[in-house]
Amino acid sequence: MSGRTLAILFVVLLLVAAAAILVNQRAPAPEPTPEIPPTPERVQFLEGATIESVTRLDVRDNLNDDFASFFRDGQGLWYQTNPTSTLVISQTMNSQVTGLLNMTSQRTLGADENPLSAYGLDNPAYTVVLALQGEDGQVTRVLFLVGNETPAGTGYYLQKEGDPRVYIVPTFSLNSLISLLTTPPVPTPTATAPIGGSAPVSGTTTLTTTVPLTATLPLTGTGTPAAP
């Protein structure tokens, strides 16, 4: 074998060795990043509204034709105005209405994903109307249409007037308002004693103080005593 052939073989050997080294030193290919599903769009319907701005709440059961209406005066006291006119427990009303003010959707569905009948919104089961008074004195009316419960029973399908989208909201955000139709927070009457009645005596009192008696001698004669 000639020297030239040996030189060529040596060069080839060097190239193969260099290629092997490069392959071994090549960085591993990065693992593919898993795709994160998009976060469902969440909407707070009454963002910025406070209980102090609420002036009225109406709840209607459209299927049974029941209706309840409540009014909040400037002092923060709540009254039921329909079906009866009476004072209600303001703290309870504030708590239930605050749940509506803080209500946030769990999921947003496009207006064209399904017909409204698929959500029960072609003939909503309930209608909730809230009146809010702004700093300028203007009153804004916000209307919600409540459809069917979701298959899991944890949410309602809901639409806000003027918004064609369909939202899924937690059942607890609306159940307390729906319950106002049948169990409004009316104060329990306090029993009072009848006027003119007498309270029964249930015990006896023992007298422990005594009055000392002074003895008096009886008179045995009359007239003036004789002189000695």
Side-chain angles (χ1 to χ4, degrees), residues 5-137:
T5 302
L6 288 175
I8 294 174
L9 290 175
F10 180 72
V11 172
V12 171
L13 181 60
L14 290 178
L15 292 175
V16 171
I21 293 173
L22 290 175
V23 170
N24 291 332
Q25 292 182 346
R26 181 178 298 175
E31 296 182 359
T33 303
E35 293 185 4
I36 301 175
T39 303
E41 182 183 359
R42 296 178 180 270
V43 175
Q44 185 174 352
F45 303 97
L46 299 168
E47 187 174 3
T50 62
I51 191 65
E52 288 75 18
S53 64
V54 178
T55 61
R56 188 181 183 89
L57 172 71
D58 296 332
V59 183
R60 181 180 293 278
D61 182 345
N62 298 312
L63 303 182
N64 297 305
D65 198 25
D66 289 336
F67 176 68
S69 184
F70 302 88
F71 169 75
R72 184 177 181 274
D73 68 9
Q75 303 301 317
L77 297 177
W78 281 93
Y79 299 86
Q80 185 181 42
T81 58
N82 191 84
T84 60
S85 297
T86 183
L87 179 70
V88 293
I89 302 175
S90 297
Q91 183 177 1
T92 302
M93 288 295 302
N94 285 341
S95 176
Q96 292 172 314
V97 173
T98 298
L100 178 62
L101 295 176
N102 295 332
M103 181 174 66
T104 302
S105 66
Q106 296 176 322
R107 186 180 175 189
T108 303
L109 306 173
D112 55 351
E113 286 192 30
N114 291 291
L116 292 180
S117 58
Y119 311 114
L121 289 168
D122 57 331
N123 186 22
Y126 301 98
T127 303
V128 177
V129 181
L130 195 68
L132 303 169
Q133 186 173 29
E135 295 181 357
D136 57 357

Side-chain angles (χ1 to χ4, degrees), residues 196-216:
S198 58
V201 177
S202 58
T204 58
T205 303
T206 303
L207 299 176
T208 58
T209 303
T210 59
V211 179
L213 298 176
T214 304
T216 305

